[in-house]
Amino acid sequence: MAIDNTRLRERLIQLTRDLVLIESTDDCPEERRRCFQLLRNHLDEVPGISIQMLEKNGYESLIALPEGVEEPIVLLCGHLDVVHHPEADSYRSEIRDGRIYGPGAGDMKGQLAIMIELMRQLGRENLGLSCGIAVTSDEERGGENGVKFLVEETGLRCGFAVIPDGGALTNIIVEEKGILHLSLTAKGVSAHAARPWLGVNALEILTRDLAKVKASFSEGTPEFSEFEDHSSHWFSTCTLTMISTPNDSPNRIPESATAVLDIRFVPPATAEDVLREIRAHLSEGVDAIPIVSAEPTHLAPDETFVEKTEEVTGSKASLLRASGGSDGRFFSAQGIPVLLSRPAVGNLHGRDEWIDIDSMVSYFHICHEYVLKKCQGD
Ligand SMILES: [Zn+2]
């Protein structure tokens, strides 16, 4: 059945813009629910699929599978949560230069629109293909109550997971760095700041240790340099993201202080190696507690997906490494191949985040061709 690209384009734009309007952030559970409802309204009219809603710790997930299928050959996987913007009127969209601009347009409401349209198209073609969709709502805060829950607790499985949340149209991600979010806490003894000899300054202990930890990550350190690849930023990084003390008085020595580090590391290091290395730099009494920990992931790309990408775009596909982590790691941990590429996007997590419309149409066709090929088994 021929696909009318003009109509497809219009539908993708419309649905993406409808989705961008919804402020489906972490602190708005009602809006996340409304966003699920919008997706359901569109999926409800697809013949032959059954929709299931699941929930973990207040985070909903949607799974739509062909009737009678528990483990689809291809599973399209996305998230509807977006990052919070404090400014009023942030959640709106605009079409400019062939792009849709708006919060979440590229991460990943535009991609959700593509996946929904693809499910509709497959329903219309009525070939009974084994393709489903899973949508979660906590990717931006780690995926524990989303994909991790679905894969590890509800036993969701599939032949191949398509996750359009990394890479680019012809850049398919094959490796992702490991993640360690680490909370460091120093304890001291409070005293009047005019008589510092009477106290122990927790904040000063902490900042000294942080400098030592940071230095151990700098370029060329023996621990990491062997595996650095600067062309793709393939090296371990350590970023201080938060620092705080309960102290509220300018003339008091703080008795405790906490910092959070976001560490991205490359193999062969494991989360445990990194943690051991960091603890070796800490003063006595400074605790390091992991908040999030994920090993580096190797995502084996399916040859058929690479082939379809090249056919549709007419360009050679590159297999790349990525600094960011995705929900793909949870599938990967179960030995499920993950296909991680996406339409052209930019300014992710900004108010002027965008997705390129032509590349949305191309990505739709890549996935459509891929599903036809994988599920018809020729
Ligand atoms: Zn995302």
Side-chain angles (χ1 to χ4, degrees):
M1 189 186 296
I3 296 169
D4 178 347
N5 273 334
T6 315
R7 228 182 109 63
L8 170 64
R9 202 183 149 89
E10 277 165 16
R11 291 196 57 98
L12 290 176
I13 294 171
Q14 166 93 51
L15 182 51
T16 303
R17 297 191 72 182
D18 286 348
L19 288 167
V20 168
L21 280 176
I22 305 175
E23 198 173 334
S24 47
T25 60
D26 193 53
D27 42 6
C28 300
E30 273 311 309
E31 292 296 283
R32 297 201 305 269
R33 198 159 300 134
R34 222 154 65 76
C35 201
F36 273 118
Q37 191 55 54
L38 176 58
L39 297 179
R40 291 186 65 165
N41 295 348
H42 284 261
L43 288 169
D44 269 342
E45 58 162 324
V46 179
I49 65 166
S50 65
I51 302 173
Q52 200 190 349
M53 294 301 297
L54 296 153
E55 191 261 359
K56 168 98 180 178
N57 295 329
Y59 293 91
E60 286 183 291
S61 294
L62 175 156
I63 298 180
L65 297 172
E67 273 156 16
V69 171
E70 270 184 27
E71 187 177 323
I73 296 176
V74 177
L75 182 70
L76 311 167
C77 186
H79 65 87
L80 59 69
D81 51 314
V82 295
V83 296
H84 173 73
H85 294 285
E87 304 88 347
D89 300 333
S90 289
Y91 298 87
R92 59 207 301 181
S93 69
E94 184 188 350
I95 310 273
R96 216 181 338 123
D97 312 324
R99 296 167 168 178
I100 306 169
Y101 284 85
D107 181 18
M108 56 184 290
K109 288 180 164 171
Q111 291 94 315
L112 284 179
I114 296 170
M115 295 191 284
I116 297 288
E117 277 309 307
L118 189 55
M119 291 301 287
R120 281 170 41 96
Q121 176 66 26
L122 295 170
R124 221 170 314 152
E125 289 167 351
N126 194 24
L127 299 165
L129 300 186
S130 178
C131 176
I133 179 171
V135 181
T136 62
S137 55
D138 80 326
E139 194 273 345
E140 300 295 356
R141 65 193 315 279
E144 305 273 314
N145 298 307
V147 174
K148 183 170 196 236
F149 160 67
L150 295 181
V151 170
E152 291 184 10
E153 286 180 54
T154 75
L156 178 67
R157 293 292 180 275
C158 57
F160 302 86
V162 173
I163 308 183
D165 200 17
L169 199 56
T170 55
N171 291 346
I172 302 168
I173 300 302
V174 291
E175 216 166 359
E176 290 181 313
K177 289 182 186 176
I179 307 170
L180 186 61
H181 288 169
L182 201 58
S183 165
L184 303 181
T185 303
K187 293 266 173 260
V189 177
S190 183
H192 195 288
R195 289 177 290 279
W197 52 87
L198 296 178
V200 177
N201 192 325
L203 197 49
E204 289 180 359
I205 295 174
L206 187 64
T207 50
R208 259 196 316 268
D209 281 9
L210 286 170
K212 277 188 264 172
V213 170
K214 279 286 287 185
S216 77
F217 277 85
S218 60
E219 288 171 35
T221 47
E223 299 93 299
F224 300 109
S225 59
E226 207 182 317
F227 307 101
E228 289 174 4
D229 171 2
H230 285 263
S231 62
S232 63
H233 304 278
W234 195 248
F235 47 82
S236 301
T237 58
C238 171
T239 305
L240 175 62
T241 53
M242 294 195 257
I243 191 159
S244 64
T245 156
N247 189 23
D248 56 4
S249 173
N251 62 2
R252 184 166 57 218
I253 290 173
E255 66 179 345
S256 83
T258 301
V260 176
L261 293 173
D262 178 316
I263 295 147
R264 306 295 167 126
F265 58 96
V266 302
T270 63
E272 208 187 306
D273 293 338
V274 175
L275 190 55
R276 198 181 326 108
E277 168 71 23
I278 287 174
R279 283 191 170 135
H281 292 286
L282 300 180
S283 312
E284 225 183 289
V286 177
D287 278 340
I289 309 289
I291 310 167
V292 171
S293 161
E295 302 299 342
T297 320
H298 190 81
L299 310 164
D302 183 11
E303 262 173 53
T304 310
F305 195 84
V306 177
E307 194 182 295
K308 293 298 171 195
T309 296
E310 295 184 340
E311 262 173 43
V312 170
T313 61
S315 326
K316 184 124 188 63
S318 322
L319 306 181
L320 297 179
R321 293 155 146 181
S323 298
S326 74
D327 275 342
R329 66 183 191 271
F330 301 117
F331 287 104
S332 198
Q334 304 295 329
I336 298 168
V338 173
L339 291 322
L340 194 65
S341 68
R342 65 181 160 199
V345 297
N347 299 341
L348 298 185
H349 293 187
R351 291 176 73 200
D352 57 350
E353 186 174 314
W354 57 264
I355 186 162
D356 175 84
I357 301 165
D358 285 343
S359 75
M360 290 174 79
V361 174
S362 299
Y363 188 79
F364 174 96
H365 286 292
I366 292 170
C367 292
H368 184 238
E369 293 288 311
Y370 177 70
V371 170
L372 290 183
K373 175 100 184 193
K374 292 312 273 191
C375 299
Q376 284 178 322
D378 39 289

